Amino acid sequence: MPKTLAIIKPDAVKKNVIGKIITRIEDEGFKIAAMRQMRLSADEAKAFYIVHKAKPFFQGLSAFMSSGPIVVLMLERDDAITRWRDVMGATDPAKAAPGTLRHSFGFDIERNAVHGSDAAETAEWELNFFFKS
Ligand code: ATP
Ligand code: MG
């Protein structure tokens, strides 16, 4: 079964909406194959978002992602990557469609509540980053 990596980001954990997001995950037909609450160090956040290292928002993003606890989840269902990105909505909550998680829980383009892998190869790399067995 296809898998993707989801993260409930520090802003959503602070807002106390872990349960609401997990309920949505279940309602959308995903199986939670693994899940863990943790906190990334600044260096770990940079390593995770290394693909964005040349972007102007890289430093801010790494600081934000290490600013508090996150919940990392291994999600399973058919077409998991695309389906999870549909449930998240657009990167910028202001542009995310009503009913998407970023529309409901995001604050701005950085503090946008959730993460999802964007392709099969990135999903494999990201799942391995958090759930090395
Ligand atoms: P994610 O990878 O977290 O699922 P995404 O694939 O929708 O989000 P990316 O372009 O991969 O978006 O950006 C990664 C993350 O970097 C975004 O989710 C957001 O937290 C942050 N980000 C993206 N663009 C900006 C920006 N212009 N300013 C500040 N932060 C940004
Ligand atoms: Mg991305």
Side-chain angles (χ1 to χ4, degrees), residues 49 52 85 115-116 118:
Y49 276 118
H52 294 306
R85 290 188 70 88
H115 164 87
D118 61 11

Side-chain angles (χ1 to χ4, degrees), residues 37 65 70 81 119:
Q37 179 163 325
M65 288 300 289
I70 59 173
I81 294 168

Side-chain angles (χ1 to χ4, degrees), residues 8-18 37 68-71 113:
I8 303 175
K9 294 186 179 184
D11 59 321
V13 173
K14 276 195 197 97
K15 271 169 100 167
N16 247 8
V17 293
I18 294 172
Q37 179 163 325
I70 59 173
V71 177

Side-chain angles (χ1 to χ4, degrees), residues 9 49 52 57 61 85 88 91 102 109-110 112 115-116:
K9 294 186 179 184
Y49 276 118
H52 294 306
F57 58 81
L61 174 61
R85 290 188 70 88
M88 290 199 300
T91 307
R102 282 167 166 170
I109 193 165
E110 178 181 85
N112 59 4
H115 164 87

